[in-house]
Amino acid sequence: IDSKYCQEKGIIVSNVRNYASFSVSEQVFTLLLALRRNLIAYQQYTQTGLWQKSDIFCSLEFPNHDLHNSTFGIIGYGVLGQAVEKLALAFGMKVLIAERKGIDEPRKGRVTFDELIETSDVISLHCPLTVETRELLGAKE
């Protein structure tokens, strides 16, 4: 949103807090399951008839990764980050909460940003785009 333009034109821009936490967290896991289970590749594999030609009862053409026992990193621990954490824990995932980037001494219950990047199997962002978060993840990460 071009905040400057809106301000000049008298257009009110506001953030709706605590909105859609169930919808957003469920969408995170919809996408996560699709990616970790290679849903699109298997769907296309089935549509083209290749699955039916398999000599075994299933297809092992594409990698599958369990959510259980994998590490889920959350950047941004507001209402949405906390809702996502609940679902991750329900799937049996280990959850890491990132401290702000550049802080070497994380608060209780958090890990450094770099530790989260290095040790997470999956990372989900739930922070607003601000001057501080712009380009939060780059080529190094």
Side-chain angles (χ1 to χ4, degrees):
I1 296 176
D2 186 341
S3 299
K4 184 178 177 184
Y5 175 86
C6 290
Q7 188 176 21
E8 290 170 359
K9 300 297 181 186
I11 300 169
I12 297 172
V13 176
S14 61
N15 184 23
V16 180
R17 297 184 58 79
N18 305 328
Y19 177 74
S21 61
F22 293 113
S23 299
V24 170
S25 58
E26 289 173 11
Q27 181 67 9
V28 166
F29 276 83
T30 298
L31 296 171
L32 179 57
L33 285 164
L35 290 169
R36 299 286 285 180
R37 294 293 179 179
N38 262 306
L39 178 65
I40 303 299
Y42 275 113
Q43 185 263 342
Q44 292 171 344
Y45 190 73
T46 302
Q47 264 189 329
T48 60
L50 292 172
W51 187 304
Q52 296 86 328
K53 295 176 183 174
S54 174
D55 293 333
I56 56 175
F57 68 95
C58 66
S59 173
L60 305 172
E61 293 297 313
F62 308 101
N64 273 281
H65 302 283
D66 291 338
L67 298 185
H68 184 77
N69 285 332
S70 62
T71 301
F72 192 104
I74 299 175
I75 299 173
Y77 195 57
V79 171
L80 294 176
Q82 291 174 38
V84 169
E85 177 189 35
K86 287 179 186 175
L87 289 179
L89 292 171
F91 273 98
M93 301 177 86
K94 176 183 176 184
V95 176
L96 300 178
I97 309 301
E99 184 56 82
R100 293 178 187 264
K101 190 174 186 176
I103 295 179
D104 295 330
E105 294 295 324
R107 291 171 272 180
K108 183 178 179 179
R110 297 187 186 219
V111 299
T112 66
F113 183 87
D114 289 339
E115 181 182 344
L116 180 130
I117 296 294
E118 292 169 9
T119 60
S120 296
D121 297 302
V122 175
I123 298 172
S124 190
L125 299 172
H126 299 283
C127 51
L129 178 60
T130 64
V131 172
E132 294 82 22
T133 61
R134 183 176 299 280
E135 298 180 10
L136 185 66
L137 298 174
K140 175 187 168 211
E141 291 82 14

